[in-house]
Amino acid sequence: MDLDALVEKASAILDDAAEPFLAGHRADSAVRKKGNDFATDVDLAIERQVVAALTEATGIGVHGEEFGGEDVDSEWVWVLDPVDGTFNYAAGSPMTGILLGLLHDGEPVAGLTWLPFTGQRYTAVAGGPLVKNGVPQPPLAPVGLGDALIGAGSFSADARGLYPGRYRIAVLENLSRVCSRLRMHGSTGLDLAYVADGILGAAISFGGHVWDHAAGVALVQAAGGMVTNLAGEPWTPSSRSALAAAPTTHAEILEILRGTGTPEDY
């Protein structure tokens, strides 16, 4: 596969999708999902539009957040989140975007993250570099935790599940003692793109949806960063969490996570 050609085609498709994305800001909930999660009409419409266009232009199937589709274990598959940060989007926040990753045998080999409200378009293919608004970027430079902003996923303190709220609070408490500032943007894809761009020194995702991670993992890796789960194991499409950072920062945060204990302790 010519990855650069595929990204060029996919970029044009996401550019087309950015128009209805911008027009639908503050869209109401259309589909109630699990718990208090929901999708807007814009999520559904953009997924249909992008899936049809990608399939026709590239011949590669798509796995989308809203409708599923191609198996993520397929040899080649696009992974799409049509509106990442849906709560932000519905509320009118600009911290939201369109995420598209390409997996080859489970490995992220290309990523595209479109942030239409801030005018930022990130692309990358395996081997780098990260490309921002068409301009190749330098590899990530080492950054000390004391100078780093760290992005973290949002949550309820009373939440249970794989990563209970009290565990997340303990992680953030320990990180807050050593990092410059914590940031909670409410968009995993944005956090990962900002790690790749060097805006954030690291990002922690306590969630496990492949459509939230695939594009950003490709961006971070192309920029010279590392992405694992919170146990330090290599990221895969079945990972239930993600830790993204430049290598030295990643190692420092992993030590803090280990010192915090396991989620089962909470």
Side-chain angles (χ1 to χ4, degrees):
M1 290 284 186
D2 184 339
L3 296 177
D4 289 313
L6 289 173
V7 167
E8 184 176 357
K9 292 178 180 179
S11 296
I13 291 167
L14 294 194
D15 282 343
D16 289 339
E19 183 175 345
F21 185 96
L22 290 166
H25 210 201
R26 291 184 181 268
D28 291 331
S29 170
V31 177
R32 181 69 58 180
K33 299 196 288 188
K34 185 178 179 181
N36 65 350
D37 196 8
F38 64 90
T40 70
D41 283 326
V42 180
D43 292 79
L44 309 180
I46 288 179
E47 184 159 319
R48 292 189 184 100
Q49 175 181 332
V50 172
V51 167
L54 275 174
T55 303
E56 180 180 357
T58 70
I60 297 172
V62 185
H63 183 93
E65 176 181 3
E66 307 306 336
F67 299 113
E70 192 78 8
D71 195 313
V72 294
D73 294 326
S74 301
E75 182 182 8
W76 291 93
V77 60
W78 294 105
V79 179
L80 170 68
D81 188 342
V83 179
D84 181 53
T86 303
F87 276 87
N88 288 352
Y89 187 81
S93 166
M95 299 289 98
T96 176
I98 308 172
L99 313 181
L100 182 64
L102 180 62
L103 301 180
H104 175 49
D105 291 331
E107 292 290 329
V109 294
L112 301 90
T113 295
W114 258 228
L115 306 175
F117 292 108
T118 58
Q120 295 165 311
R121 301 161 70 251
Y122 294 97
T123 65
V125 300
L130 175 74
V131 177
K132 178 180 180 181
N133 292 344
V135 180
Q137 303 297 299
L140 284 175
V143 57
L145 277 179
D147 298 318
L149 298 177
I150 297 179
S154 56
F155 62 93
S156 164
D158 294 326
R160 302 303 303 164
L162 184 61
Y163 296 102
R166 290 195 301 120
Y167 169 76
R168 302 184 193 199
I169 289 172
V171 168
L172 299 184
E173 178 183 352
N174 291 335
L175 286 172
S176 73
R177 294 191 172 103
V178 294
C179 75
S180 177
R181 293 289 189 277
L182 294 171
R183 292 290 180 263
M184 195 173 287
H185 295 118
S187 167
T188 300
L190 180 147
D191 281 349
L192 292 174
Y194 280 6
V195 171
D197 195 16
I199 297 170
L200 293 175
I204 292 178
S205 169
F206 296 105
H209 297 308
V210 63
W211 51 79
D212 288 330
H213 293 158
V217 171
L219 297 180
V220 172
Q221 291 178 341
M226 291 180 62
V227 187
T228 65
N229 64 15
L230 297 191
E233 301 162 337
W235 183 89
T236 71
S238 61
S239 292
R240 302 289 301 277
S241 61
L243 169 61
T248 54
T249 309
H250 185 281
E252 290 181 78
I253 294 177
L254 203 54
E255 283 303 307
I256 292 170
L257 289 172
R258 288 168 177 159
T260 303
T262 68
E264 292 77 16
D265 297 332
Y266 295 82

